[in-house]
Amino acid sequence: MIVVLAGPAGVGKGSIVSGLLSSRSDFVLSVSATTREPRESETDGVQYYFVSEEQFDRMIEDRQMLEWAWVFGLNRYGTPKKPVDKLQAAGKTVILEIDLDGARQIRKTAPDAVQIFIAPPSFDELEQRLRGRGTETEEQLSARLETAKEELRSQNEFDQVFINDELDKTTQEVLDYILRRKEENERSTGNR
Ligand code: 5GP
């Protein structure tokens, strides 16, 4: 099963994913490829595969991407297809932490994927969280906030929206929802 987790930058998707991964050994996060520069705390192959523009071009040409998008108009990010196929074949629940554009592509290529949107309690709160994180320049911050406005308008395209007002509670709600969808899925495949 594929689970798409979308929502604006700074909303806490990363923390929710960490919580999901630590409570379920059958959940795996797909590692994306990106042309963005690594942050100080990041390691190649862990948070992302950090690739050059040319490598990213080649991955697209070779049809190695399940989806890919320009994010914040600054860099490209994409989901390598092969690892997702392998993990799915091994019975894992594969989480894709991707942007709105990517989520829309997955809706076409993997219509059975569970589509979840994580929303902030308010736009002001999102801005405060992003600023508090201190990982972006002012230019990057305004690009992320502009994109966030568009993403927030798209919420109703998703199967389910969770407002991340309290991390532990939201993580539990997301987990319960995924498990419910998995159960429904298994029941309907079993009935076929
Ligand atoms: P960051 O630069 O903060 O690590 O990630 C920025 C945004 O890129 C994330 O909020 C996420 O929505 C998006 N993103 C990360 N990986 C992918 C991917 O593989 N595909 C797409 N479409 N978006 C991604």
Side-chain angles (χ1 to χ4, degrees), residues 13 32 36 39 48 67 77-79 97-99 144:
K13 283 173 293 178
S32 299
R36 157 165 91 59
R39 296 180 187 131
Y48 288 103
E67 60 74 34
Y77 295 73
T79 305
E97 194 193 320
I98 59 178
D99 84 327
R144 278 162 195 252

Side-chain angles (χ1 to χ4, degrees), residues 93-149:
T93 293
V94 188
I95 303 172
L96 309 187
E97 194 193 320
I98 59 178
D99 84 327
L100 175 60
D101 194 350
R104 286 176 171 158
Q105 293 172 47
I106 295 291
R107 228 167 271 153
K108 293 194 181 125
T109 53
D112 290 344
V114 174
Q115 295 254 351
I116 294 173
F117 188 91
I118 308 294
S122 69
F123 190 78
D124 285 352
E125 173 108 16
L126 181 73
E127 182 166 356
Q128 275 172 26
R129 284 190 205 172
L130 260 182
R131 286 189 183 281
R133 200 158 80 167
T135 47
E136 279 86 24
T137 63
E138 199 57 37
E139 187 197 353
Q140 288 167 335
L141 262 176
S142 55
R144 278 162 195 252
L145 289 170
E146 264 321 298
T147 305
K149 283 185 193 154

Side-chain angles (χ1 to χ4, degrees), residues 31-186:
V31 179
S32 299
T34 181
T35 58
R36 157 165 91 59
E37 288 294 316
R39 296 180 187 131
E40 239 170 61
S41 58
E42 293 175 327
T43 312
D44 187 37
V46 179
Q47 289 83 6
Y48 288 103
Y49 295 107
F50 295 97
V51 300
S52 65
E53 297 291 342
E54 293 73 24
Q55 283 171 311
F56 204 97
D57 286 341
R58 208 168 317 124
M59 292 177 86
I60 298 170
E61 275 164 30
D62 294 346
R63 300 184 184 279
Q64 288 180 37
M65 293 297 198
L66 187 59
E67 60 74 34
W68 70 270
W70 281 96
V71 180
F72 316 127
L74 299 171
N75 291 108
R76 288 180 291 175
Y77 295 73
T79 305
K81 189 171 183 303
K82 215 184 265 173
V84 174
D85 289 345
K86 273 195 184 157
L87 290 165
Q88 270 195 293
K92 303 284 185 189
T93 293
V94 188
I95 303 172
L96 309 187
E97 194 193 320
I98 59 178
D99 84 327
L100 175 60
D101 194 350
R104 286 176 171 158
Q105 293 172 47
I106 295 291
R107 228 167 271 153
K108 293 194 181 125
T109 53
D112 290 344
V114 174
Q115 295 254 351
I116 294 173
F117 188 91
I118 308 294
S122 69
F123 190 78
D124 285 352
E125 173 108 16
L126 181 73
E127 182 166 356
Q128 275 172 26
R129 284 190 205 172
L130 260 182
R131 286 189 183 281
R133 200 158 80 167
T135 47
E136 279 86 24
T137 63
E138 199 57 37
E139 187 197 353
Q140 288 167 335
L141 262 176
S142 55
R144 278 162 195 252
L145 289 170
E146 264 321 298
T147 305
K149 283 185 193 154
E150 192 203 332
E151 299 209 299
L152 289 172
R153 282 194 292 267
S154 76
Q155 293 180 43
N156 55 6
E157 290 176 19
F158 288 78
D159 295 343
Q160 190 76 29
V161 176
F162 294 96
I163 296 171
N164 188 18
D165 47 3
E166 211 266 289
L167 182 62
D168 289 345
K169 176 181 75 75
T170 313
T171 307
Q172 189 60 48
E173 287 170 353
V174 173
L175 177 60
D176 291 344
Y177 178 71
I178 296 172
L179 294 178
R180 199 166 68 241
R181 290 288 303 266
K182 255 172 95 82
E183 227 177 80
E184 283 168 12
N185 223 7
E186 277 154 20

